[in-house]
Amino acid sequence: METVRTRPVTGRHGGFGRRLTRRQPVGALVAEAGGSPLRRTMGVGQLTLLSVGATLGTGIFVVLGQAVPQAGPAIVISFVLAGVTALFSALSYAELAGMIPGSGSSYSYAYATMGELVAWVCGWCLILEYGVSVAAVAVGWGQYVNELLQLTIGVTLPDSLSAPPGAGGTLNIPAALIVILAMVVLLRGAKESAVANTVMVAVKIAALVMFCAVAFTAFRAGNFQPLFPLGTAGMSAGAASLFFSYIGFDAASTAGEEARDPQRDLPRAIILSLVLVTALYVLVAVAALGAMPWRQFAGTEATLSEVLVRSVGGGNLWPVLLSVGAVVATTSVVLTVQYGQIRILFAMSRDGLVPPLFSKVHSASGVPRANTVIVSVFIAVLAALVPLGSLADATSIGTLFAFMLVNLAVVLLRHRNPDAARSFRVPFSPVTPVLGMGFCVYMLFSLGTDTWIAFATWMAAGLVIYRLYGIKHSKLNQAPETQGAA
């Protein structure tokens, strides 16, 4: 017996411009996710911890040392500003994740609302966001490993083996090593990876709570005077840099095809994770600035550990415990963000925009193995060769651009599909998503010229790849198929 299988297409026929704007119907994306070969093993708790694991890490343990000199004590407000920007986008993510519970995250949302070209641009931004942020976190992991070695046995790895060429070294071997170790865990399966992440999230939350408790014993209110030594422009620049700290709350949206009840649990996990992370960030920033004058943050790497060493005293016990927590924290971020990157490419490959190798799932583990290995090796090389500051800023600009598109997607879907089932609705729409877009634009223009040049180069390369491969191999080019079925 023969069955006819058709995939609904919007704008498949027509000229070149029409091909760029063809859209994936929401129903087709939902149906595709429902038939996914990935295994549904995650509940709301694991999804929340996945987002926390992807978010809570290098941004607070390492990047704080680079952001404080930009804003001074106003860095506390910078955290709030970055958090509000993330919150608006998180609400939009929650609505769309409940509607389209697939692995593509904002890439899929853009495909359903703004067409294939914008979806490709969004997916290319996500590759920058996830892939480069994993490399940045891996670099931070290496810094805390060195700090831990110094505190425990009095030696550190030489710069030639623990720093990239742009930072006085040859290769950052620890950064590459943690990416490869995360790859090994991810190859075992989503369930096993979620269990490992749960343990690591518990350890890093405990480490940050311990830091706050100890740092508050050396708290000096005078460290916050003046609050704006570098003006409001410094506060904005600090917020733009710190936005890197909030990247990852959307990781739950990439697990839509491995969630047991995605329509119910994905929105809850996204909002819960962001609220928890923001509260911890503000608390840690207040404790750190209260314990150490802001000018002393310049040039620090393992920042929170140095706050305890310089301001609290009491030997190496607290810094050692914090460094252990930081190593675990950054390991968790590498694991979960690497997971998200792999799922984004899985969705893009299934749509034909990148080679089919990235969507092949191993029958025994339920994992896209080739995708996992290729992505991990690429990130390991990046982490070994590129300094942290460049990676963090590049990640922020890619993320802000993707978040802007997600907010826009909510507005468009409310207009085009007003009666579609939504397990969560952004309150006060369209005002809330429009504000989300506005905050993203404001933060984008707070980033430096070099970051914009790097982003433009990345986008140009992505458009070339889309023109040469993606637009030709897109599944939306295919006519309805006739295939045999038993």
Side-chain angles (χ1 to χ4, degrees), residues 38 42 50-51 53-55 93 102-108 122-123 125-134 182 186 190 193 197 247-256 258 332-348 358 368 371-372 375-376 379:
L38 300 176
M42 297 189 195
L50 175 68
S51 286
T55 311
Y93 264 100
S103 293
S105 186
S106 51
Y107 155 77
S108 295
C122 188
C125 285
L126 290 173
I127 292 172
L128 181 67
E129 171 191 345
Y130 281 83
V132 177
S133 67
V134 171
L186 290 168
S193 301
N197 177 62
I247 293 167
F249 73 80
D250 56 327
S253 67
T254 67
E258 289 158 289
S332 172
V333 177
V334 169
L335 178 71
T336 50
V337 179
Q338 208 163 315
Y339 165 91
Q341 170 68 96
I342 292 161
R343 269 50 182 183
I344 295 293
L345 279 171
F346 173 85
M348 295 177 73
F358 289 95
N371 184 347
T372 301
V375 168
S376 300
I379 294 172

Side-chain angles (χ1 to χ4, degrees), residues 18 42 62 70 124 155 165 188 192 239 257 298 320 326 393 454 468:
R18 186 74 177 271
M42 297 189 195
V62 178
Q70 294 179 287
W124 197 242
V155 299
R188 293 179 58 84
E192 291 79 1
E257 294 173 35
V320 166
D393 285 345
L468 295 178

Side-chain angles (χ1 to χ4, degrees), residues 153-169:
I153 60 177
V155 299
T156 59
L157 295 173
D159 286 346
S160 60
L161 300 179
S162 62

Side-chain angles (χ1 to χ4, degrees), residues 15-259:
F16 181 73
R18 186 74 177 271
R19 293 170 72 188
L20 298 180
T21 58
R22 54 194 175 183
R23 302 192 309 271
Q24 290 268 28
V26 173
L29 290 170
V30 173
E32 192 170 51
S36 174
L38 300 176
R39 296 175 181 174
R40 296 192 177 276
T41 59
M42 297 189 195
V44 66
Q46 289 175 314
L47 291 167
T48 301
L49 292 175
L50 175 68
S51 286
V52 173
T55 311
L56 195 63
T58 300
I60 192 66
F61 282 100
V62 178
V63 175
L64 185 64
Q66 299 181 9
V68 170
Q70 294 179 287
I75 199 67
V76 175
I77 301 175
S78 298
F79 266 117
V80 175
L81 178 59
V84 169
T85 303
L87 177 60
F88 282 118
S89 298
L91 293 171
S92 294
Y93 264 100
E95 177 168 324
L96 295 175
M99 286 185 68
I100 308 172
S103 293
S105 186
S106 51
Y107 155 77
S108 295
Y109 312 152
Y111 217 154
T113 55
M114 288 166 274
E116 187 171 281
L117 176 61
V118 178
W120 170 265
V121 169
C122 188
W124 197 242
C125 285
L126 290 173
I127 292 172
L128 181 67
E129 171 191 345
Y130 281 83
V132 177
S133 67
V134 171
V137 172
V139 173
W141 184 86
Q143 292 173 354
Y144 266 98
V145 166
N146 251 346
E147 179 75 7
L148 186 59
L149 290 173
Q150 175 63 42
L151 291 169
T152 53
I153 60 177
V155 299
T156 59
L157 295 173
D159 286 346
S160 60
L161 300 179
S162 62
T170 304
L171 286 174
N172 193 332
I173 291 177
L177 177 63
I178 188 57
V179 174
I180 299 303
L181 290 176
M183 178 191 75
V184 172
V185 175
L186 290 168
L187 287 172
R188 293 179 58 84
K191 183 177 181 180
E192 291 79 1
S193 301
V195 170
N197 177 62
T198 298
V199 174
M200 289 188 284
V201 167
V203 171
K204 64 182 175 182
I205 290 177
L208 289 174
V209 171
M210 179 211 74
F211 168 81
C212 292
V214 176
F216 272 120
T217 64
F219 187 87
R220 296 177 181 83
N223 287 350
F224 291 88
Q225 298 296 329
L227 183 60
F228 294 93
L230 302 171
T232 56
M235 178 196 69
S236 298
S241 295
L242 286 174
F243 196 77
F244 173 78
S245 307
Y246 288 91
I247 293 167
F249 73 80
D250 56 327
S253 67
T254 67
E257 294 173 35
E258 289 158 289

